[in-house]
Amino acid sequence: MNDQYYQAFTRAIVSQLFVSGSRAQRVIQEINEENYQFKLEFRVKSAHAVAFRLEDVKAQAKYLNGGKRAAGKDNDCTIIDNGIFQIEVKETKRMGNTKASKQLIGGERWLKHLLYLVASEDETLKTQDPQQIYNLIIQRVGRGTLSRTQSRQVIRDGDNYRIRIGKNERRIDLTRVKNEITQGSSVVNDRRFFS
């Protein structure tokens, strides 16, 4: 995220709703759900990065009934850095029947709405900082089911990327994962905002 877009983001979004950092700094985003709590972290690759939870933004906006879990699917965390990383966490042995893809699609719709609001005062921002969209599913599996080589291995899963982690992990560093995804030879989602 470049300086101008970052400034627009910080003017438009309440600071309590996101965590941010500048190049080479570490950003830590807490994920607190009923069934699990852990911290996602990464080293910032671009000039600036932000991480936030769309459900927190929806709850703060207060224009939907239902509070934090208001209508409309969304993903667990969004990171904007050298790309847009939509992250969904699933606690399951097999991915077959999860609704992760629907949540990522819904999250993208909410994200487009949010970023439109961020750029609404400056038309040049709508095209200035186009970002690739990468969908990442973090699959939390039971203890003892992962070998060392399976843990944190980036798996291409249709339109999404996926990593598998142990259920008891409390801190997940996505730096290497983000780098592998963005340097991949074939980009899964080449959709760009405001096109």
Side-chain angles (χ1 to χ4, degrees), residues 5-16:
Y5 205 94
Y6 177 73
Q7 296 305 321
F9 190 94
T10 58
R11 280 192 306 272
I13 308 300
V14 176
S15 63
Q16 293 86 350

Side-chain angles (χ1 to χ4, degrees), residues 49-194:
V50 295
F52 55 93
R53 303 199 59 192
L54 287 167
E55 67 182 32
D56 293 343
V57 173
K58 291 184 335 187
Q60 179 73 24
K62 297 183 184 194
Y63 66 89
L64 297 171
N65 292 322
K68 197 169 187 174
R69 303 269 183 207
K73 299 263 183 221
D74 59 59
N75 48 285
D76 289 313
C77 179
T78 302
I79 295 170
I80 304 175
D81 185 5
N82 58 324
I84 296 173
F85 300 87
Q86 295 191 126
I87 300 164
E88 178 60 27
V89 180
K90 289 297 177 192
E91 196 162 296
T92 181
K93 210 170 194 178
R94 293 184 180 81
M95 291 301 297
N97 292 330
T98 67
K99 294 185 170 54
S101 290
K102 287 183 181 179
Q103 288 175 267
L104 290 163
I105 290 167
E108 183 177 331
R109 289 178 181 142
W110 279 108
L111 183 62
K112 284 182 178 181
H113 172 66
L114 180 69
L115 293 182
Y116 178 79
L117 297 174
V118 166
S120 65
E121 291 183 19
D122 186 346
E123 288 295 318
T124 62
L125 287 180
K126 292 180 182 179
T127 57
Q128 180 183 2
D129 196 26
Q131 297 276 325
Q132 297 288 151
I133 304 167
Y134 304 97
N135 292 331
L136 174 62
I137 299 169
I138 298 175
Q139 181 183 2
R140 294 171 48 91
V141 296
R143 199 170 190 200
T145 59
L146 290 178
S147 71
R148 283 183 175 259
T149 57
Q150 289 175 314
S151 182
R152 300 285 189 335
Q153 178 184 13
V154 178
I155 303 162
R156 181 108 181 237
D157 195 2
D159 285 346
N160 305 314
Y161 291 95
R162 181 168 46 97
I163 60 169
R164 297 171 66 197
I165 64 166
K167 226 180 217 183
N168 296 326
E169 291 193 49
R170 298 289 171 245
R171 199 172 189 96
I172 302 165
D173 189 341
L174 294 177
T175 303
R176 183 190 58 78
V177 172
K178 283 176 55 234
N179 288 339
E180 278 188 37
I181 290 172
T182 57
Q183 293 171 3
S185 58
S186 55
V187 175
V188 170
N189 293 324
D190 61 359
R191 300 180 310 275
R192 293 180 179 264
F193 284 105
F194 311 121

